[in-house]
Amino acid sequence: MSEGTMQRRAQRDQRTKRLTRVLVGAAAVPVMLVAAGCSSDSDSDSGKDKAATTTAAPESASPSPTVRAAAYGKLPEPCSTLSKKTLEELVPEAGSGKEGTSNDTSTRGSCSWDSLDDNGVKGSQFRWLSVSVLRFDSNVTRGAGDELAHDQYTKQLQDAQAAEGAQSVKTAPVSSTGDEATIVRYDLKKKEGTFKQQTVVARVENVVVTVDYNGAGLAGDKTPDADDLAKDAQKAAKEVVAAVMKANGAGGAASSSPSASAQASKGTSGDASQDASEGASEGASEGASDDSSKRPSKSSAKS
């Protein structure tokens, strides 16, 4: 083989090798593009699946509002809350009690008694006794009945302590009378004499009990002992609390016990009457009785 022939063959082999490298490189590019395309499509599909899953997932429903059920749903007849014996001791000359007006006796009521013991030229002993009961229903908007009653209890104590013309105001806790109880004592001087006012405010579950008791010596008779009046007022308050409990099947014991409200179902719906609760609150503010005007804290006591 001549030298020229060998050179031509070597050149041909080199061209063949270059062409092979070019073809191999060109073939690799589509493979990479296809792989990249597959990866991109896969990510896109995954994103769509996630979006679809998110869209399809149902929204969590908001839980329905609930409120603790009120323990007591009844009130006793206000004029029947005190025993005959107690009435004879506190208002010996009183006749039948006078029931106050109420447009909803299931949430509020009151009763009052007047007693005037006329001793002729020696003067007279006057006593006035009033009982009021207010019940609060639970409501999802306003809250649990016992909490509403506690708010009213606090308000009535503040009102009693701020009575117009009250002198020598004193307060003291009262034991074994519902869930909480306080007595407010003060003197009120009127032209008829000095009236010794005793107001006991108590709460038992979702009911507020108020006992007002005052006395005075008129026309020269001696002023009654305030401590004796306070003991009588506390005794009356215990009886009224017991009557509330008995009316609701709670045994009638006036002493405090673990709150039945706390034991009531916490899942009870708050569709209890809002109007009833608001009515009770309004009734308290208005005195829950036409006879409340006889209370020295609001006007002159009856002589």
Side-chain angles (χ1 to χ4, degrees), residues 201-213:
V201 183
R203 179 186 68 83
V204 54
E205 295 291 359
N206 55 309
V207 176
V208 177
V209 169
T210 305
V211 172
D212 283 301
Y213 186 47

Side-chain angles (χ1 to χ4, degrees), residues 2-9:
S2 66
E3 184 178 348
T5 299
M6 293 176 65
Q7 289 179 350
R8 286 194 297 275
R9 179 176 293 177

Side-chain angles (χ1 to χ4, degrees), residues 42-61:
S42 177
D43 292 343
S44 177
D45 291 342
S46 176
K48 291 179 180 178
D49 291 342
K50 291 180 180 179
T53 301
T54 302
T55 303
E59 295 182 0
S60 299

Side-chain angles (χ1 to χ4, degrees), residues 93-108:
E93 300 301 320
S96 299
K98 180 180 179 181
E99 186 170 353
T101 58
S102 172
N103 59 9
D104 186 358
T105 55
S106 69
T107 60
R108 64 182 178 273

Side-chain angles (χ1 to χ4, degrees), residues 93 116-126 217-219 221-222:
E93 300 301 320
L116 183 63
D117 186 4
D118 190 352
N119 296 315
V121 295
K122 295 182 179 180
S124 304
Q125 284 293 320
F126 170 77
L218 308 178
D221 206 344
K222 65 179 181 179

